[in-house]
Amino acid sequence: MDILIQINSGNLDTIIPGLIMATRLKNEGADVSVSFQWRALIAFAEGHFEFSPSVARYATKINKNAEKMGLPIDPMKFLEGAKADGIPLYGCAVEAAICGIKEKIPQEIELMEESDITNFLLEAKKVISGF
């Protein structure tokens, strides 16, 4: 794999840009995968997404402008789109089990054992994190 994008936060302003970046890279021919960490897995399991505190005060403006631009703010649409584009989406089965959310993870996200996810880090030519 060329690039592994790790999405660490469950905030809208990290999930959406991370999935947009993955989709753009895939469309440019990169072999890209996405790994969701604890907070992102919980957000998808609960179906509850918020902006980070520093961005939240702009939520109304963001939603209004995104609607005008025809851009969805629904992270599930980005998740479904990334999967439809052939981007592998992963989460850690141990993290999901510890949180008690394993059965609530969307079908687009494949839960893998921790050792398998670690292999992605070793095999990836580049790891992009911070989302």
Side-chain angles (χ1 to χ4, degrees):
M1 148 191 14
D2 293 334
I3 301 169
L4 173 64
I5 296 178
Q6 288 188 312
I7 298 180
N8 301 308
S9 167
N11 294 326
L12 285 169
D13 46 297
T14 56
I15 291 173
I16 291 173
L19 290 172
I20 288 172
M21 177 69 68
T23 301
R24 286 184 181 162
L25 289 167
K26 178 72 173 182
N27 290 338
E28 291 179 20
D31 178 16
V32 62
S33 296
V34 176
S35 174
F36 296 100
Q37 307 303 309
W38 295 52
R39 291 175 286 162
L41 288 175
I42 290 169
F44 278 110
E46 293 179 348
H48 181 76
F49 305 94
E50 296 179 344
F51 289 104
S52 65
S54 61
V55 177
R57 64 179 178 248
Y58 294 94
T60 301
K61 186 179 284 190
I62 290 168
N63 289 327
K64 182 179 175 183
N65 289 336
E67 185 177 329
K68 284 181 189 177
M69 297 168 71
L71 301 172
I73 291 294
D74 181 358
M76 285 304 299
K77 292 198 183 298
F78 285 99
L79 186 75
E80 292 163 359
K83 188 67 170 185
D85 285 343
I87 299 170
L89 306 168
Y90 301 108
C92 180
V94 173
E95 292 174 2
I98 288 172
C99 294
I101 58 170
K102 202 170 182 177
E103 296 77 26
K104 296 178 182 179
I105 299 296
Q107 66 182 8
E108 290 83 3
I109 300 172
E110 178 184 348
L111 294 178
M112 300 184 77
E113 294 306 315
E114 192 170 6
S115 60
D116 295 329
I117 288 182
T118 304
N119 288 337
F120 285 123
L121 288 169
L122 296 172
E123 293 171 6
K125 294 175 184 169
K126 292 182 183 180
V127 177
I128 300 173
S129 192
F131 283 103

